[in-house]
């Protein structure tokens, strides 16, 4: 891809030592001077979470003639340094799908409900952590109902996997006196959660961990809440199986846990603040 390769190339400045100055100590080469273009470059990432190799084309927006064809292995991340929007195209089997990529944003290839490849915004482009979902908050009426259905009390320890601004953990602490732990990969969300907990006066009941939730010890949880993509719920299932004690409750917003059908005790549809529909799934481990 012409335009992109230009963007990725860093300008290097070679300084040749003067041969006439035999006794001169070697000098460090001056750093490459930043160009206006290099200052605007941001890293855009695409991650393959489908479990299959995926072929795709990528090019500067509106310039399909400059397309570069690539293949991405399952579980890996491709990176593009770009100052301008890109377009990404792949064959879904039914049609060619083209998506816009904003400079600096992380995306994931997924398999959608019709088993075609789809593209979703993620939360980060790190290689060392799973991208479970983008930051999208659960509306407060849905949070309230999730905690009611899970029958949270002051004897519970609630873990929110991918806690965002901490609203589920904080509501459980404020309303029911529960202890809570929120885990999020995004350090800015953790800081916001801590500020929100303080503002709600529950900072002694809750804590927030900035880490990959798939690597966390969640074994003390009596209640777990999930608002993640469906394949991320599937990824969490063996962790929940291995770590949670029997009778622990798991409450999910919008997406079920594939393979836990026998543990499902209740589903409910709730209206959000704008009258839109949200689904709650309650499981008992
Ligand atoms: C859909 S939001 C849910 C936020 C909150 N639980 C709620 O319901 O309001 C998903 C969150 O998961 C976080 N996330 C994504 N991957 C993660 C990972 N590997 N470990 C921990 N958090 C992650 C994102 O940063 C984002 O804040």
């Amino acid at each position: 891809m012409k335009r992109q390769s230009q963007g990725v190339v860093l300008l290097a400045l070679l300084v040749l030592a003067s041969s006439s100055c035999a006794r001169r100590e070697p000098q460090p080469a001056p750093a490459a001077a930043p160009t206006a273009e290099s200052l605007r470059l941001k890293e855009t990432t695409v991650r393959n979470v489908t479990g299959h190799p995926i072929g795709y084309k990528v090019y500067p927006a509106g310039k399909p003639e400059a397309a570069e064809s690539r293949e991405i292995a399952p579980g890996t991340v491709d990176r593009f340094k770009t100052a301008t929007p890109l377009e990404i195209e792949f064959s879904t089997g039914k049609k060619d799908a083209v998506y816009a990529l904003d400079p600096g944003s992380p995306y994931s290839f997924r398999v959608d409900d019709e088993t075609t490849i789809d593209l979703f915004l993620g939360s980060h482009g790190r290689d060392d952590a799973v991208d479970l979902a983008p930051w999208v908050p659960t509306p407060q009426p849905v949070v309230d109902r999730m905690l009611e259905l899970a029958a949270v009390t002051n004897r519970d320890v609630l873990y929110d996997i991918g806690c965002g601004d901490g609203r589920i953990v904080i509501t459980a602490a404020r309303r029911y006196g529960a202890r809570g732990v929120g885990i999020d990969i995004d350090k800015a969300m953790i800081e916001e959660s801590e500020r929100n907990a303080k503002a709600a006066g529950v900072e002694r009941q809750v804590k927030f961990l900035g880490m990959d939730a798939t690597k966390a010890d969640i074994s003390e949880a009596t209640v777990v809440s999930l608002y993640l993509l469906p394949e991320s719920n599937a990824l969490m299932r063996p962790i929940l199986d291995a770590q949670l004690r029997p009778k622990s409750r798991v409450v999910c917003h919008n997406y079920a846990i594939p393979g836990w059908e026998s543990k499902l005790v209740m589903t409910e549809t709730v209206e959000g603040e704008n009258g839109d529909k949200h689904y709650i799934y309650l499981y008992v481990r």
Side-chain angles (χ1 to χ4, degrees):
M1 200 182 70
K2 265 192 271 167
R3 175 111 167 238
Q4 192 186 306
S5 342
Q6 283 165 5
V8 178
V9 171
L10 288 174
L11 289 177
L13 186 63
L14 267 180
V15 177
L16 298 172
S18 164
S19 54
S20 62
C21 187
R23 294 169 66 90
R24 200 168 131 190
E25 292 297 316
Q27 298 291 310
T35 60
E37 171 77 355
S38 71
L39 288 174
R40 284 199 311 272
L41 290 178
K42 290 185 184 162
E43 188 173 71
T44 297
T45 58
V46 290
R47 178 189 303 265
N48 179 0
V49 297
T50 67
H52 310 283
I54 301 294
Y56 67 93
K57 290 180 190 165
V58 62
Y59 46 85
K63 298 200 170 150
E65 68 280 5
E68 180 189 354
S69 292
R70 303 177 67 120
E71 187 175 271
I72 180 169
T76 60
V77 178
D78 278 354
R79 299 175 181 283
F80 306 98
K81 286 258 169 72
T82 180
T84 55
L86 301 175
E87 281 172 359
I88 192 162
E89 182 179 332
F90 50 87
S91 170
T92 63
K94 293 178 183 165
K95 59 181 166 43
D96 284 343
V98 181
Y99 294 91
L101 303 177
D102 278 336
S105 295
Y107 298 89
S108 292
F109 288 126
R110 299 177 56 241
V111 179
D112 71 10
D113 291 344
E114 293 175 353
T115 68
T116 57
I117 307 301
D118 214 340
L119 192 80
F120 283 76
L121 189 63
S123 81
H124 65 84
R126 286 170 49 167
D127 292 292
D128 63 338
V130 176
D131 196 345
L132 295 170
W135 156 233
V136 182
T138 297
Q140 193 60 41
V142 183
V143 172
D144 294 345
R145 191 63 185 143
M146 286 168 78
L147 298 176
E148 277 169 25
L149 291 178
V152 172
T153 73
N154 61 2
R155 293 185 304 282
D156 281 312
V157 183
L158 182 145
Y159 272 58
D160 188 24
I161 306 299
C163 65
D165 64 2
R167 59 182 60 202
I168 297 182
V169 169
I170 291 167
T171 306
R174 192 166 46 78
R175 195 163 286 176
Y176 300 106
R179 279 203 298 123
V181 178
I183 307 173
D184 206 288
I185 193 76
D186 185 338
K187 294 272 165 30
M189 298 302 335
I190 294 295
E191 284 165 18
E192 189 176 337
S193 293
E194 285 166 347
R195 282 195 300 276
N196 291 343
K198 207 159 188 189
V202 296
E203 70 273 23
R204 292 230 277 273
Q205 280 160 262
V206 300
K207 69 176 173 189
F208 296 97
L209 308 175
M211 64 180 295
D212 183 352
T214 65
K215 296 174 185 150
D217 178 354
I218 59 166
S219 57
E220 70 158 341
T222 57
V223 181
V224 172
S225 53
L226 301 175
Y227 180 25
L228 304 174
L229 293 173
E231 58 268 59
S232 300
N233 282 356
L235 195 81
M236 287 304 299
R237 189 189 64 229
I239 298 172
L240 302 171
D241 272 328
Q243 293 198 29
L244 296 187
R245 280 166 291 188
K247 303 252 159 58
S248 307
R249 290 94 82 206
V250 177
V251 62
C252 300
H253 174 195
N254 267 359
Y255 302 108
I257 302 179
W260 258 28
E261 291 73 20
S262 64
K263 297 181 171 59
L264 183 66
V265 292
M266 187 187 294
T267 65
E268 194 173 290
T269 308
V270 180
E271 274 195 10
E273 283 133 342
N274 309 324
D276 43 345
K277 289 207 181 337
H278 297 258
Y279 305 95
I280 299 175
Y281 300 82
L282 177 67
Y283 298 89
V284 175
R285 155 82 173 86

